[in-house]
């Protein structure tokens, strides 16, 4: 038997920049984005794909900063998105 593990593919578009990452978990993929909460100044479009399922959401600057502010908030936000997928 061959086990296929789904990988999260994440694309973040913010401030004219595009960041693409992959990870075994959504949290791992978000942590690979080289941004800090101080770098976030514009709203961003977050696209997430896992296999055939996909999710897209617009984050306003305050929400996007929360995603990069600390690990607890990042884990909470990514867990809520993973439940949707």
């Amino acid at each position: 038997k061959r086990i296929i593990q789904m990988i999260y593919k994440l694309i973040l578009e913010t401030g004219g920049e595009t960041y693409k990452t992959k990870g075994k978990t959504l949290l791992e993929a978000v942590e690979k984005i080289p941004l800090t909460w101080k770098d976030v100044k514009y709203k961003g479009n977050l696209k997430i794909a896992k296999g055939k399922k996909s999710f897209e959401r617009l984050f306003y600057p305050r929400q996007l900063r929360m995603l990069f502010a600390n690990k607890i908030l990042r884990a909470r936000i990514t867990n809520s998105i993973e439940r949707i997928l």
Side-chain angles (χ1 to χ4, degrees):
K1 283 186 174 181
R2 190 172 189 186
I3 298 172
I4 299 173
Q5 186 174 6
M6 297 293 205
I7 293 179
Y8 286 91
K9 295 177 184 175
L10 186 136
I11 300 171
L12 175 65
E13 298 169 344
T14 182
E17 299 286 329
T18 302
Y19 302 94
K20 296 180 182 181
T21 62
K22 294 180 183 179
K24 292 179 184 176
T25 65
L26 184 56
L27 181 60
E28 182 182 313
V30 170
E31 287 178 344
K32 289 182 180 179
I33 296 175
L35 286 177
T36 64
W37 67 274
K38 292 180 183 180
D39 298 332
V40 178
K41 302 199 184 323
Y42 307 101
K43 61 186 174 183
N45 194 22
L46 186 67
K47 298 175 187 176
I48 302 163
K50 180 183 177 187
K52 294 182 179 180
K53 297 180 182 179
S54 64
F55 175 80
E56 186 172 347
R57 182 173 171 198
L58 177 68
F59 283 89
Y60 288 99
R62 184 173 179 179
Q63 297 168 322
L64 200 55
R65 280 190 194 114
M66 284 175 30
L67 187 62
F68 295 102
N70 65 38
K71 290 184 178 183
I72 295 170
L73 288 173
R74 190 177 309 133
R76 194 172 99 201
I77 293 169
T78 55
N79 283 340
S80 66
I81 294 172
E82 279 181 340
R83 286 189 210 129
I84 294 170
L85 292 174

